[in-house]
Amino acid sequence: MKKNVHEIEIVIEGKEWENILDKVFKKKVKDVKIDGFRKGCVPKDVYIKKLGIETLFMDAVDDAVDPAYRKVIEDNKLVPIIEPKLDVKEIDKDKVKFVFTITEKPEIKLGDYTKLGIKKDAVKVTKKEIDEEIDNLRTRFAEIVVKKDGVVKAKDTAVINFKGYVDGKELDGGTGENYPLEIGSHTFIPGFEEAVEGMKVDEEKTIDLKFPDDYVKELAGKEVKFDVKVVEIKERVLPEIDKDLFEDLGYKDVKTKEEFEEKVKSNLEESKKAKNDEEYAEKCLDKAANNMKVDLNEEIIDDEVHHMMHNFEHQLSHQGLNLEQYYEFTKTTHDDLHKQMEPEAIKRIKYRYLLEEVIDKEKIEVSDKDAEKEAETMAKNYGMKKDEFIESYGGLDFIKYDMKMRKAIDIVKA
């Protein structure tokens, strides 16, 4: 057993255990009806004779655990970092014996965590990137118009009628009318959009394709025919680079095309700088964590993975999915996802321990006043009152902790 894991045996017996059992009996008897007695008025000896004293044991353990755990923590001056394990070794009418397995933070030995010799990438924005970003911005305000002449091209929307056939039979769910297909969206199986490209309005065509091997089992690898007719072609017309576009984008200080390009360049530089700073911090943390010595318990890693999986499940719920559906779609299992998340969990734990050690070594402090000021600023950003924000954050101590961690990151980056 590792040094940071403590097994502590607790025995509760005699009058103390008797009192706990009696307290549980008084709760449970309220819902008990035995012939000859009114509900809730069954004497204890009758209850035990009819239902058995064993029916009190598990609730009694629940009542006993919390105060016993608090006493163990205080008496042994322990600082648990994950939920303790509880193992009931023995239980009867006279006593209960159980063991707490308590895990503290493992021993950590910092290595070099400053002046790590990592260079930050220079920020450079090319003319091509500026032009592409301008196209992206114009696309946001593009007008969709019907193309009267010409053929379907990339980025056009072809309004089509289609019907699919597999093994000479109509494909279930493979029929559509006036379906708007954006060319380049990869909505259909590979080859479909490419085949529609170049067609004219009212043109009909039969497209011979094959479902991908990784498609749904019933159709994977099968040949399919689609009868397609183009009903209408729509294209995006980008707005002119003028004051109307500048106003739509909220660029009130921009008057000319040259100023617009300079604004776009500045925004790209700012975005790239933020990304570079993030990548630089990641590289510094990674190197400092690798310089650190720590032996992580499997239980600590499992606990971190558990939190990650819980957060992942919460994210899935916003998409109307649950974990069981995710496993079905991805052909994976709970164990697969657990194993997949382990490397990220280990990295998170190491970074957290690294920064906490830096906080201690560098004696980083954050005053209540500074934390209140930070909370006020953040509350304004979220359109909340300060007290509401502090409560939603988990309290002022959590804000102080995060501020300390950010200060520690700045030290590691220096």
Side-chain angles (χ1 to χ4, degrees), residues 53-96:
I53 194 169
E54 296 82 8
T55 60
L56 304 177
F57 287 166
M58 285 304 99
D59 285 349
V61 169
D62 289 342
D63 277 10
V65 162
D66 282 348
Y69 179 61
R70 287 195 297 271
K71 189 173 188 306
V72 163
I73 296 301
E74 291 168 7
D75 290 351
N76 294 277
K77 295 180 171 58
L78 299 176
V79 183
I81 58 167
I82 60 175
E83 287 291 319
K85 285 172 62 179
L86 176 69
D87 185 12
V88 179
K89 295 290 188 183
E90 190 178 334
I91 188 168
D92 56 36
K93 65 182 179 61
D94 298 315
K95 66 180 177 301
V96 61

Side-chain angles (χ1 to χ4, degrees), residues 359-375:
I359 288 169
D360 287 343
K361 187 166 184 179
E362 298 287 340
K363 296 180 173 55
I364 297 173
E365 295 291 342
V366 172
S367 67
D368 287 351
K369 183 179 178 182
D370 286 342
E372 293 269 5
K373 188 176 178 181
E374 175 76 359

Side-chain angles (χ1 to χ4, degrees), residues 37 39 50 68 143 160 187-188 198 227 237 243 246 267 373 386 396 408 414:
F37 299 91
K39 185 178 179 180
K50 288 285 186 181
E143 186 181 355
I160 60 172
T187 306
F188 279 52
D227 290 337
V237 177
K243 63 178 183 178
F246 307 152
N267 289 345
K373 188 176 178 181
K386 185 181 75 174
L396 200 64

Side-chain angles (χ1 to χ4, degrees), residues 282-404:
E282 176 76 17
K283 289 175 183 176
C284 290
L285 287 170
D286 186 60
K287 187 163 185 179
N290 286 333
N291 291 340
M292 174 182 73
K293 290 184 179 178
V294 60
D295 186 11
L296 296 179
N297 306 56
E298 188 176 326
E299 295 82 2
I300 295 175
I301 298 170
D302 285 345
D303 185 70
E304 185 71 21
V305 172
H306 172 76
H307 288 298
M308 289 171 63
M309 290 182 76
H310 178 74
N311 290 337
F312 181 63
E313 186 173 19
H314 184 67
Q315 291 168 12
L316 285 176
S317 69
H318 290 302
Q319 302 171 39
L321 297 172
N322 57 39
L323 278 176
E324 292 306 317
Q325 291 169 318
Y326 172 81
Y327 297 144
E328 185 178 346
F329 292 153
T330 58
K331 309 299 180 191
T332 57
T333 65
H334 175 90
D335 289 343
D336 293 331
L337 184 59
H338 192 288
K339 194 171 291 185
Q340 179 185 329
M341 287 185 168
E342 281 182 11
E344 177 65 21
I346 291 169
K347 184 178 79 171
R348 290 186 185 190
I349 296 165
K350 284 186 174 182
Y351 285 8
R352 185 164 65 243
Y353 287 176
L354 165 73
L355 295 172
E356 287 173 351
E357 288 298 304
V358 171
I359 288 169
D360 287 343
K361 187 166 184 179
E362 298 287 340
K363 296 180 173 55
I364 297 173
E365 295 291 342
V366 172
S367 67
D368 287 351
K369 183 179 178 182
D370 286 342
E372 293 269 5
K373 188 176 178 181
E374 175 76 359
E376 190 168 350
T377 300
M378 293 175 75
K380 284 179 182 176
N381 292 339
Y382 286 100
M384 300 171 67
K385 292 180 180 179
K386 185 181 75 174
D387 290 343
E388 290 175 346
F389 176 80
I390 292 174
E391 184 179 351
S392 69
Y393 210 87
L396 200 64
D397 284 342
F398 280 95
I399 295 173
K400 290 169 75 172
Y401 176 82
D402 281 353
M403 291 176 71
K404 289 179 185 178

Side-chain angles (χ1 to χ4, degrees), residues 195-255:
V196 173
E197 200 170 340
M199 291 179 69
K200 299 177 182 178
V201 172
D202 290 331
E203 182 178 348
E204 297 183 24
K205 186 178 188 179
T206 298
I207 302 171
D208 294 313
L209 295 172
K210 194 175 182 181
F211 283 107
D213 291 334
D214 59 354
Y215 209 68
V216 292
K217 188 177 179 180
E218 297 77 16
L219 298 173
K222 284 196 170 187
E223 293 182 352
V224 57
K225 288 180 181 291
F226 285 101
D227 290 337
V228 180
K229 178 181 179 180
V230 174
V231 178
E232 190 176 56
I233 305 171
K234 297 179 180 180
E235 64 179 339
R236 292 177 184 271
V237 177
L238 300 181
E240 295 295 324
I241 300 176
D242 55 21
K243 63 178 183 178
D244 290 336
L245 176 62
F246 307 152
E247 288 176 6
D248 287 339
L249 290 167
Y251 295 166
K252 295 179 181 179
D253 55 333
V254 173
K255 306 296 180 187

Side-chain angles (χ1 to χ4, degrees), residues 124-138:
K124 185 179 179 182
V125 175
T126 66
K127 179 69 166 58
K128 182 182 177 184
E129 288 173 324
I130 294 171
D131 290 341
E132 286 175 350
E133 180 62 14
I134 287 174
D135 281 344
N136 290 335
L137 293 172
R138 293 173 71 196

